[in-house]
Tab-separated table of all heavy atoms in Angstrom:
chain	number	residue	atom	x	y	z
A	399	CYS	N	-19.977	-23.166	-9.512
A	399	CYS	CA	-18.592	-22.832	-9.323
A	399	CYS	C	-18.406	-21.223	-9.319
A	399	CYS	O	-17.692	-20.662	-8.497
A	399	CYS	CB	-17.703	-23.393	-10.329
A	399	CYS	SG	-17.389	-25.204	-10.064
A	400	ALA	N	-19.009	-20.625	-10.312
A	400	ALA	CA	-19.008	-19.114	-10.488
A	400	ALA	C	-19.636	-18.512	-9.333
A	400	ALA	O	-19.107	-17.470	-8.733
A	400	ALA	CB	-19.544	-18.762	-11.738
A	401	HIS	N	-20.787	-18.994	-8.939
A	401	HIS	CA	-21.566	-18.385	-7.779
A	401	HIS	C	-20.721	-18.526	-6.437
A	401	HIS	O	-20.676	-17.536	-5.686
A	401	HIS	CB	-22.917	-18.963	-7.626
A	401	HIS	CG	-23.578	-18.507	-6.397
A	401	HIS	ND1	-24.210	-17.264	-6.323
A	401	HIS	CD2	-23.987	-19.189	-5.305
A	401	HIS	CE1	-24.781	-17.084	-5.235
A	401	HIS	NE2	-24.753	-18.212	-4.537
A	402	ALA	N	-20.168	-19.698	-6.311
A	402	ALA	CA	-19.444	-19.958	-5.036
A	402	ALA	C	-18.092	-19.065	-5.019
A	402	ALA	O	-17.887	-18.417	-3.939
A	402	ALA	CB	-18.982	-21.401	-4.987
A	403	GLY	N	-17.591	-18.911	-6.198
A	403	GLY	CA	-16.294	-18.112	-6.189
A	403	GLY	C	-16.582	-16.686	-5.925
A	403	GLY	O	-15.884	-15.912	-5.205
A	404	ALA	N	-17.732	-16.087	-6.486
A	404	ALA	CA	-18.236	-14.743	-6.255
A	404	ALA	C	-18.508	-14.467	-4.864
A	404	ALA	O	-18.155	-13.441	-4.216
A	404	ALA	CB	-19.362	-14.417	-7.126
A	405	MET	N	-19.206	-15.429	-4.235
A	405	MET	CA	-19.520	-15.270	-2.773
A	405	MET	C	-18.386	-15.393	-1.755
A	405	MET	O	-18.406	-14.604	-0.858
A	405	MET	CB	-20.718	-16.195	-2.409
A	405	MET	CG	-21.952	-16.013	-3.078
A	405	MET	SD	-22.750	-14.376	-2.745
A	405	MET	CE	-23.058	-14.489	-1.013
A	406	GLY	N	-17.499	-16.254	-2.203
A	406	GLY	CA	-16.261	-16.366	-1.406
A	406	GLY	C	-15.550	-15.131	-1.248
A	406	GLY	O	-15.036	-14.678	-0.263
A	407	VAL	N	-15.271	-14.461	-2.405
A	407	VAL	CA	-14.354	-13.245	-2.447
A	407	VAL	C	-15.140	-12.035	-1.826
A	407	VAL	O	-14.548	-11.283	-1.171
A	407	VAL	CB	-13.848	-12.942	-3.962
A	407	VAL	CG1	-14.950	-12.363	-4.746
A	407	VAL	CG2	-12.638	-12.090	-3.863
A	408	ARG	N	-16.455	-12.075	-1.980
A	408	ARG	CA	-17.292	-11.016	-1.384
A	408	ARG	C	-17.278	-11.093	0.082
A	408	ARG	O	-17.030	-10.077	0.745
A	408	ARG	CB	-18.729	-11.119	-1.952
A	408	ARG	CG	-19.720	-10.042	-1.253
A	408	ARG	CD	-21.046	-10.282	-1.912
A	408	ARG	NE	-21.183	-9.596	-3.130
A	408	ARG	CZ	-22.298	-9.624	-3.902
A	408	ARG	NH1	-23.243	-10.368	-3.639
A	408	ARG	NH2	-22.305	-9.051	-5.025
A	409	PHE	N	-17.352	-12.215	0.687
A	409	PHE	CA	-17.380	-12.322	2.159
A	409	PHE	C	-15.938	-12.119	2.706
A	409	PHE	O	-15.769	-11.492	3.842
A	409	PHE	CB	-17.894	-13.641	2.606
A	409	PHE	CG	-19.391	-13.802	2.780
A	409	PHE	CD1	-20.174	-14.415	1.766
A	409	PHE	CD2	-19.996	-13.232	3.769
A	409	PHE	CE1	-21.474	-14.519	1.830
A	409	PHE	CE2	-21.412	-13.268	3.835
A	409	PHE	CZ	-22.171	-13.920	2.939
A	410	ALA	N	-14.867	-12.515	1.950
A	410	ALA	CA	-13.595	-12.239	2.456
A	410	ALA	C	-13.247	-10.835	2.434
A	410	ALA	O	-12.721	-10.308	3.402
A	410	ALA	CB	-12.592	-13.118	1.488
A	411	ILE	N	-13.547	-10.050	1.566
A	411	ILE	CA	-13.383	-8.579	1.467
A	411	ILE	C	-14.151	-7.881	2.526
A	411	ILE	O	-13.724	-6.976	3.192
A	411	ILE	CB	-13.765	-8.059	0.059
A	411	ILE	CG1	-12.719	-8.508	-0.984
A	411	ILE	CG2	-13.758	-6.508	0.093
A	411	ILE	CD1	-13.073	-8.166	-2.368
A	412	ALA	N	-15.419	-8.398	2.869
A	412	ALA	CA	-16.160	-7.791	3.920
A	412	ALA	C	-15.640	-8.075	5.158
A	412	ALA	O	-15.504	-7.064	6.169
A	412	ALA	CB	-17.596	-8.460	3.933
A	413	CYS	N	-14.883	-9.233	5.543
A	413	CYS	CA	-14.219	-9.449	6.782
A	413	CYS	C	-13.190	-8.364	6.864
A	413	CYS	O	-12.923	-7.898	8.033
A	413	CYS	CB	-13.689	-10.818	6.755
A	413	CYS	SG	-14.977	-12.168	6.914
A	414	PHE	N	-12.421	-8.134	5.938
A	414	PHE	CA	-11.249	-7.228	5.974
A	414	PHE	C	-11.721	-5.734	6.014
A	414	PHE	O	-10.992	-4.895	6.563
A	414	PHE	CB	-10.236	-7.552	4.838
A	414	PHE	CG	-9.417	-8.685	5.153
A	414	PHE	CD1	-9.884	-10.015	5.029
A	414	PHE	CD2	-8.056	-8.411	5.661
A	414	PHE	CE1	-9.105	-10.988	5.322
A	414	PHE	CE2	-7.244	-9.539	5.898
A	414	PHE	CZ	-7.749	-10.800	5.763
A	415	GLY	N	-12.887	-5.511	5.461
A	415	GLY	CA	-13.351	-4.149	5.691
A	415	GLY	C	-13.661	-3.861	7.104
A	415	GLY	O	-13.514	-2.580	7.569
A	416	GLY	N	-14.032	-4.739	7.886
A	416	GLY	CA	-14.309	-4.656	9.273
A	416	GLY	C	-13.128	-4.262	10.084
A	416	GLY	O	-13.139	-3.720	11.217
A	417	CYS	N	-11.834	-4.519	9.512
A	417	CYS	CA	-10.507	-4.160	10.190
A	417	CYS	C	-10.515	-2.748	10.496
A	417	CYS	O	-9.768	-2.326	11.393
A	417	CYS	CB	-9.390	-4.628	9.338
A	417	CYS	SG	-9.195	-6.472	9.415
Side-chain angles (χ1 to χ4, degrees):
C399 289
H401 175 68
M405 292 302 295
V407 77
R408 176 177 278 174
F409 277 104
I411 291 173
C413 289
F414 279 78
C417 288

